[in-house]
Amino acid sequence: MEQIQVMKLKKPDRNEAANIAVLGAGGLGMAAAKILGQKKEMRLAAIADKTGYIIDHNGIDPELLENKKPGDIGIRTDDAITCIVENCREFDGIFLALPNLTNNFIPEVVSMFAKAGFKGVMVDAMKRSQAVEMIFGMDDMIKNASITYITGAGATPGLLTCAAAIAANSFMEVTNVDINFGVGVSNWESYRATIREDIAHLEGFNLEKAANMTCAQIKNELDKRRGILQLYNMEHADDVLLERAGIVSREKVTVSGVVDTRNPRKPVSTTMTLTGKTFDGAFSSHRFILGDETTMAANVVGPALGWMKAGFELHKRGIYGVFGSAELMPRFVK
Amino acid sequence: MEQIQVMKLKKPDRNEAANIAVLGAGGLGMAAAKILGQKKEMRLAAIADKTGYIIDHNGIDPELLENKKPGDIGIRTDDAITCIVENCREFDGIFLALPNLTNNFIPEVVSMFAKAGFKGVMVDAMKRSQAVEMIFGMDDMIKNASITYITGAGATPGLLTCAAAIAANSFMEVTNVDINFGVGVSNWESYRATIREDIAHLEGFNLEKAANMTCAQIKNELDKRRGILQLYNMEHADDVLLERAGIVSREKVTVSGVVDTRNPRKPVSTTMTLTGKTFDGAFSSHRFILGDETTMAANVVGPALGWMKAGFELHKRGIYGVFGSAELMPRFVK
């Protein structure tokens, strides 16, 4: 089994797909495996979670992961991330598909990659403002390591933040940005970590309390609410990202949402509304509305890989450091 | 008066505004003057049209242009562009606010700037696919001249094309992009060139025929249609730009619009609809809808200046050549 770890992968040339390692094999990580399986410019070269990891430089068939975890089909270990870090020079890009861990976790992982000599592109789909700010605080270290890093590169923050950043250009002054998302999942157990994070944001809960709840307690909480979670004033990094891009101060950005944990149909259409004042004195709002049939996974992972591609373009030009998803265009991956 | 032409302007340092020259003083050029008058990072250093030009490196007060043309307040000449080209080293950015001239005109002007040693950023708000393709054809020349050029950087193409390019990332395959714009102007005479261009796209008309119409003939044509122009399958460069960005082939991109020439209220909300297929097999559409109160000028000039800023960022890093508005994020100008 050790052979897999030490195997040297060729760095891709122009005609070869980029090797992507995905950290996390929950809803997002598994979607990334499926999406990468359909792409020519990138391929899934590794996936890891708490069960273990699998590395294959020829690309991992996403069907192998159907109803399986990385540890089931690869190497079972409770320290899979260290194994990926040890092999990091074999990868061109790392997708951190771990939106809901503690704030310190991702910066620690990034440090590990930088120290191990990873020189490529990293993209995260983190949600919290504080976590994204921690990454921005690592800009010098990331730059010195020759890593190009795009943070907040999911849907919110991510796709919707980027849409807001574009929309802003019609206005002299942005007065507020309001993001209201709808999520519908037929079975909350496929998105345990995300639902747990959502519960943490309900009144009377916090991250610690939610983290310590048993599955039965979560089920009970969902039952009390008939499966519907109404979320207000969420700590989403759209605020930090838009502020850093010079568009609007963070307190003018709000994120709210409605999650239906029993129905794949979205309870509301996910909408970004940016309101501002034009040069000729009019107040008006541009809107970006996601199609109801698109899942959270499609709207997070597609853009994340788009930012990965944008990161490769910068990296090739020797441009390193941390970029926010409101500063950079995700580039459609073929 | 010659003094103005030979005056050497200081190149901006980080704390100084960039000097922008605007070519064209119709609806877009005049809006650019007003918008630049409210910006800190850029200022209007020159504006030119067929009446003449004015150059002032301390910034031109847009109020001077109220109901006036450049020739009225500066130097009257029928070759103003040559004069701007001769002074081109004094400018950091050139905004080509001339969307409706013949296809050859802008490429000729770009050649003039390149030959005269302009080394800065150029942005155009051209509309036609053929014109944008001509600019892409000049990539080598523009790169060799150390110019960073962003083409199709208005609203459509521009803002809406860029929104489509972002939206695409949720999908594995984009099946079509449909842009439908609404424009309302209280008085068509403020946007003569644009309305003339629109008439050229009506059934039974073409560019030559429209160019040769008298104002009375245009007024008569508008009267017959009660001031409303219904436009289908317009030759807008959104198609070329999205194809070049690798998102969708050009025949799957359509642009249509409704122009009310007697009412500033938009007859329909300007909407970009991108339809695609997700990795999990769903067909769905993302939409980007512009606020009805935002004018064409706000939605063209704001983004154009945003791409100008993005161009400055690339130029500073030594990245030259032609970029389309579907490849690059416009950066909000303070």
Side-chain angles (χ1 to χ4, degrees), chain A:
Chain A
M1 291 303 251
E2 225 185 339
Q3 223 179 346
I4 296 175
Q5 285 183 56
V6 297
M7 193 183 281
K8 287 292 159 206
L9 315 183
K10 278 194 302 178
K11 283 276 173 177
D13 62 26
R14 280 175 193 171
N15 299 316
E16 211 176 323
N19 278 325
I20 310 299
V22 176
L23 300 196
L28 296 184
M30 295 306 242
K34 284 183 196 161
I35 291 174
L36 287 167
Q38 296 176 51
K39 296 290 188 186
K40 287 186 198 124
E41 294 177 327
M42 296 181 183
R43 67 180 157 224
L44 181 69
I47 186 163
D49 75 350
K50 59 192 173 196
T51 68
Y53 69 96
I54 175 167
I55 298 180
D56 185 342
H57 72 283
N58 290 316
I60 299 163
D61 182 348
E63 285 186 15
L64 290 178
L65 287 156
E66 204 69 55
N67 303 315
K68 297 251 172 64
K69 287 292 169 187
D72 301 334
I73 60 164
I75 295 164
R76 201 168 283 282
T77 164
D78 57 4
D79 196 16
I81 287 177
T82 301
C83 301
I84 299 291
V85 168
E86 280 168 4
N87 287 276
C88 66
R89 287 164 187 261
E90 319 302 342
F91 309 118
D92 305 294
I94 315 282
F95 174 35
L96 303 165
L98 302 159
N100 304 306
L101 295 172
T102 58
N103 288 347
N104 284 325
F105 184 77
I106 297 266
E108 273 167 28
V109 170
V110 174
S111 286
M112 285 166 70
F113 276 102
K115 282 177 193 151
F118 175 67
K119 293 177 198 307
V121 176
M122 300 186 82
V123 168
D124 72 52
M126 297 197 299
K127 289 197 281 197
R128 292 182 214 125
S129 307
Q130 277 185 59
V132 163
E133 285 204 291
M134 288 174 80
I135 294 293
F136 277 118
M138 297 171 75
D139 185 45
D140 282 347
M141 191 253 262
I142 287 171
K143 211 176 268 166
N144 290 336
S146 304
I147 292 171
T148 305
Y149 191 110
I150 298 102
T151 187
T156 161
L159 179 61
L160 295 164
T161 330
C162 188
I166 289 174
N169 289 281
S170 295
F171 303 92
M172 291 304 301
E173 187 197 340
V174 176
T175 52
N176 61 287
V177 175
D178 174 54
I179 291 171
N180 187 35
F181 64 80
V183 171
V185 291
S186 48
N187 177 4
W188 77 273
E189 290 179 322
S190 309
Y191 291 93
R192 284 173 197 240
T194 298
I195 299 298
R196 201 178 282 273
E197 169 96 5
D198 289 342
I199 285 178
H201 287 95
L202 294 174
E203 218 176 309
F205 292 84
N206 57 39
L207 290 172
E208 203 193 332
K209 189 170 174 182
N212 291 325
M213 286 169 79
T214 63
C215 282
Q217 284 171 320
I218 286 182
K219 194 176 172 302
N220 190 35
E221 193 58 44
L222 292 175
D223 284 346
K224 277 204 299 198
R225 297 164 190 271
R226 293 182 190 167
I228 305 270
L229 301 174
Q230 294 266 8
L231 306 159
Y232 301 99
N233 275 326
M234 300 188 76
E235 187 208 338
H236 269 223
D238 308 81
D239 56 356
V240 169
L241 292 161
L242 289 168
E243 185 175 271
R244 280 190 66 100
I247 290 165
V248 63
S249 58
R250 63 180 72 188
E251 73 277 7
K252 293 177 179 166
V253 180
T254 54
V255 178
S256 54
V258 185
V259 180
D260 189 337
T261 59
R262 295 179 181 174
N263 191 339
R265 203 188 170 94
K266 290 187 187 182
V268 295
S269 293
T270 298
T271 303
M272 183 291 298
T273 306
L274 178 138
T275 304
K277 189 179 174 187
T278 63
F279 79 100
D280 41 9
F283 283 88
S284 191
S285 301
H286 286 354
R287 282 172 298 152
F288 184 65
I289 306 170
L290 303 187
D292 285 347
E293 302 81 2
T294 58
T295 56
M296 183 177 65
N299 291 318
V300 169
V301 179
L305 297 177
W307 272 298
M308 181 77 79
K309 180 170 170 177
F312 287 138
E313 291 177 357
L314 294 182
H315 197 267
K316 201 192 284 178
R317 293 183 189 269
I319 300 172
Y320 312 128
V322 182
F323 295 84
S325 55
E327 298 167 59
L328 203 64
M329 184 87 174
R331 303 278 277 128
F332 189 70
V333 184
K334 285 181 223 172

Side-chain angles (χ1 to χ4, degrees), chain B residues 106-123:
Chain B
I106 298 265
E108 274 167 25
V109 170
V110 174
S111 286
M112 285 167 70
F113 276 101
K115 282 178 194 150
F118 176 67
K119 293 178 199 305
V121 177
M122 301 186 81
V123 168

Side-chain angles (χ1 to χ4, degrees), chain B residues 81-150:
Chain B
I81 287 178
T82 301
C83 300
I84 298 291
V85 168
E86 281 169 3
N87 286 276
C88 66
R89 287 163 188 261
E90 318 302 344
F91 309 118
D92 305 293
I94 315 282
F95 174 34
L96 303 165
L98 301 159
N100 304 305
L101 295 171
T102 58
N103 288 348
N104 283 325
F105 183 77
I106 298 265
E108 274 167 25
V109 170
V110 174
S111 286
M112 285 167 70
F113 276 101
K115 282 178 194 150
F118 176 67
K119 293 178 199 305
V121 177
M122 301 186 81
V123 168
D124 72 52
M126 298 196 300
K127 290 199 282 196
R128 293 182 214 124
S129 308
Q130 277 185 60
V132 163
E133 286 205 290
M134 288 174 80
I135 295 292
F136 277 117
M138 295 170 76
D139 185 44
D140 282 345
M141 191 252 262
I142 287 172
K143 210 175 268 165
N144 290 335
S146 304
I147 292 171
T148 306
Y149 192 111
I150 298 104

